Amino acid sequence: MYQIYREYMFKVCGHQTMSLSNLDFDYLRHLVRQHSAVALDAGKEYLVELHLSNYVRQIGFDTIANFIEHLKVSKFGDLHIAAIEHLVNYETTFFRDIYPFEALKNYILPEIIQRRQSCQLEKIKIWSAACSTGQEVYSIAMLIREHFPMLNEANLQIFASDFSNKALTRARNGMYSPLEVRRGLPANLRKKYFHSCSNEWQIDHELSNIINFHQINLIKPWSTLPFQQVDILFIRNVLIYFDINIKKDILYKIKQVLHPEGYLFLGGGETTLNLDNDFERVQLGQAITYRLKS
């Protein structure tokens, strides 16, 4: 089956195969690792061919090998960034893994709102780190609009970030294909918060305008973050791509920005266990979240 799949991918990439040499693949692995901390596993050359072949032809290179040779002798710039962005996974959906959103609605936001009633000047801060093309943060915004209409610009701040300018541009634009809006987005919310635009679906600008988008590379220093004391941090399905040292470093930085009574959401296959003992695991309904130990 694997061999059939590889042969199929070579066909769809064009008549001329764009097979990688070990040296070229190692160069791309190092490039991606250095600038995003994402590790491309050995044996995944076919994924490079799948994600880069059309792009390199569009910009005038005959083969991926020629494109990589150009990258090797050029100063780091837009083409290097484009290569990295094509090779990093941006898979996401609306209301992905629904349980964290249920916990947000049924437990976390009611608790924080009640706690903040005595301190009305302190805004609730939510950060969707590694927001990709925006489905997660828009899901959060829609949930708040639906169930917590008392939260507005005066008492709420929603931040979204990604290292990829390409992904952030799509997130800011809030334009999604019919397939994307069918994945996880209830029909009533699509009808209420989107409108059809040139065979795609455009999110309501009133919703997108409440979100502050920032280009942030999580592996770089966080000293210049435009926000601190985050109450709710979504950083899901990100740590799985990093090695242990990077995971520990990111969890350490999370501790510096997370409110002492804040909540951290990781992906279903991620944990702080054996990485950072300052976090404790908390189950809210069907969702798992993490809090700083008091």
Side-chain angles (χ1 to χ4, degrees), residues 101-137:
F101 298 96
E102 292 180 349
L104 195 64
K105 179 183 72 173
N106 297 326
Y107 301 98
I108 296 175
L109 281 173
E111 175 205 311
I112 295 176
I113 290 170
Q114 183 178 23
R115 192 184 338 130
R116 292 291 167 82
Q117 286 179 347
S118 61
C119 184
Q120 297 181 0
L121 294 179
E122 191 173 354
K123 293 185 178 183
I124 296 174
K125 297 178 184 177
I126 302 174
W127 179 20
S128 170
C131 71
S132 185
T133 47
Q135 286 92 323
E136 177 179 83
V137 72

Side-chain angles (χ1 to χ4, degrees), residues 242-260:
F242 300 150
D243 63 30
I244 289 178
N245 289 333
I246 296 293
K247 291 177 182 178
K248 289 181 176 180
D249 179 61
I250 289 179
L251 288 173
Y252 173 80
K253 289 187 285 191
I254 287 172
K255 290 188 295 187
Q256 315 309 307
V257 302
L258 190 65
H259 190 283

Side-chain angles (χ1 to χ4, degrees), residues 36-250:
S36 74
V38 173
L40 294 179
D41 295 333
K44 295 295 180 69
E45 290 89 345
Y46 68 95
L47 290 179
V48 174
E49 294 164 354
L50 170 62
H51 293 298
L52 276 184
S53 57
N54 287 336
Y55 171 70
V56 301
R57 285 196 176 101
Q58 289 171 5
I59 60 175
F61 291 91
D62 293 332
T63 66
I64 293 178
N66 290 343
F67 174 65
I68 294 173
E69 195 61 35
H70 178 80
L71 296 182
K72 289 178 180 178
V73 299
S74 302
K75 183 179 179 181
F76 184 84
D78 291 343
L79 288 181
H80 299 80
I81 294 171
I84 296 166
E85 291 183 337
H86 276 82
L87 295 174
V88 174
N89 181 21
Y90 298 109
E91 176 67 18
T92 186
T93 62
F94 290 99
F95 295 97
R96 183 179 183 180
D97 306 325
I98 190 64
Y99 298 133
F101 298 96
E102 292 180 349
L104 195 64
K105 179 183 72 173
N106 297 326
Y107 301 98
I108 296 175
L109 281 173
E111 175 205 311
I112 295 176
I113 290 170
Q114 183 178 23
R115 192 184 338 130
R116 292 291 167 82
Q117 286 179 347
S118 61
C119 184
Q120 297 181 0
L121 294 179
E122 191 173 354
K123 293 185 178 183
I124 296 174
K125 297 178 184 177
I126 302 174
W127 179 20
S128 170
C131 71
S132 185
T133 47
Q135 286 92 323
E136 177 179 83
V137 72
Y138 287 131
S139 298
I140 295 169
M142 285 185 281
L143 182 148
I144 290 173
R145 279 289 179 88
E146 288 293 296
H147 301 284
F148 304 94
M150 76 290 293
L151 295 180
N152 51 48
E153 292 183 3
N155 50 29
L156 173 71
Q157 289 182 305
I158 303 177
F159 304 96
S161 69
D162 203 277
F163 90 96
S164 167
N165 186 59
K166 176 183 176 182
L168 276 177
T169 297
R170 283 209 62 210
R172 287 191 182 99
N173 290 340
M175 187 82 75
Y176 298 99
S177 70
L179 175 61
E180 288 172 317
V181 297
R182 286 198 299 268
R183 299 182 66 193
L185 182 65
N188 65 310
L189 296 184
R190 184 195 65 193
K191 183 177 180 180
K192 187 171 182 178
Y193 294 106
F194 291 78
H195 63 269
S196 180
C197 180
S198 301
N199 297 321
E200 293 192 302
W201 290 91
Q202 172 74 59
I203 200 158
D204 185 349
H205 287 303
E206 289 188 8
L207 201 66
S208 59
N209 288 341
I210 69 172
I211 300 169
N212 302 281
F213 289 98
H214 302 274
Q215 187 170 13
I216 296 172
N217 191 330
L218 296 174
I219 68 172
K220 303 296 183 182
W222 291 10
S223 55
T224 58
L225 282 183
F227 45 85
Q228 297 290 329
Q229 295 289 286
V230 175
D231 296 286
I232 303 163
L233 173 51
F234 282 73
I235 185 168
R236 302 190 300 154
N237 306 301
V238 178
L239 297 185
I240 54 173
Y241 296 107
F242 300 150
D243 63 30
I244 289 178
N245 289 333
I246 296 293
K247 291 177 182 178
K248 289 181 176 180
D249 179 61
I250 289 179

